[in-house]
Amino acid sequence: MALPKIQQPLFNYTLPVSKQSITFRPFLVSEEKILLAGKEGDPLQQLNAMEQVITNVVQEDINLDELTMVDIEMLFVQLRSKSVQNLVKLKYRDREDDQEYDFNVDLDTLEPTITEERTGQIDLDGNINMELKDPTFGVFKKLGLDMMDEMDTENVLKMIANCIVSVWDKDQVYDSFSESEALDFLRQMDTKRFEKISEYFESVPKLRHTIEYENSKGSKRKIDLEGLADFF
């Protein structure tokens, strides 16, 4: 006699940046194994594992490549909360008293940091302007970037190059160019111009959370968590 089929609950969530409303089910044991296998692989294998599982569990047909990284991160946080549990146990060693402290983070309370009235149009020098977009899952996948770790300078430049929508001056709009041409454009910039671009990407919506506590010496301490790697 065949065993009964297990019915999975469905959950609703609105992605914080794109504002898309999605419905998803918890991931299964077999899908958790896919995530664990991806975690042991290189950055591209990690991204492919996340894409496979998210595609499986989300009921709507959505284009993950067009979603910003914080939408992907928040979706994964919700998925982890509903599939395993909402509480994540973290352990940190305090640098002042060298003691270990345990913390519980409720995933259901996490919200991304979003800068209001943020614009992707950058005036570089009063003559040359550019429009930028936020890094997407598709960009990370194309370049094989590690969403769990900091990028080196070359990968930062490649990411920015793939986020340039257009460049214009008083005479012409440049909106058709290769990644190589975009990289050359960035590398010929001076520090002052490049800092304006850096400021835009520093304000990209991020998954952030702050833990505050008092250590054994009575000092008020703070731990800033950012990105999936700090939570899992």
Side-chain angles (χ1 to χ4, degrees), residues 5-20:
K5 291 185 177 181
I6 299 176
Q7 297 296 319
Q8 296 295 335
L10 295 177
F11 301 94
N12 297 316
Y13 182 64
T14 300
L15 299 174
V17 174
S18 68
K19 302 302 181 184
Q20 292 186 58

Side-chain angles (χ1 to χ4, degrees), residues 98-185:
D98 200 36
Q99 299 293 315
E100 281 193 347
Y101 292 85
D102 295 318
F103 304 97
N104 287 325
V105 176
D106 186 348
L107 298 178
D108 289 338
T109 66
L110 298 182
E111 294 289 344
T113 301
I114 298 178
T115 303
E116 298 295 333
E117 299 181 0
R118 179 170 167 268
T119 177
Q121 295 192 358
I122 312 296
D123 183 351
L124 292 176
D125 54 16
N127 179 41
I128 298 177
N129 299 268
M130 63 191 308
E131 182 181 356
L132 299 168
K133 64 180 181 180
D134 289 350
T136 62
F137 187 74
V139 168
F140 268 67
K141 196 171 60 174
K142 172 187 174 183
L143 300 175
L145 299 178
D146 192 345
M147 66 182 295
M148 299 294 187
D149 200 0
E150 292 186 7
M151 289 180 277
D152 58 27
T153 302
E154 185 62 21
N155 279 330
V156 168
L157 286 174
K158 288 181 179 179
M159 180 198 71
I160 295 174
N162 280 271
C163 293
I164 299 176
V165 177
S166 62
V167 178
W168 68 92
D169 55 26
K170 63 179 181 180
D171 298 317
Q172 188 173 350
V173 175
Y174 308 87
D175 56 8
S176 179
F177 44 83
S178 66
E179 179 182 320
S180 176
E181 290 169 332
L183 283 169
D184 288 342
F185 175 71

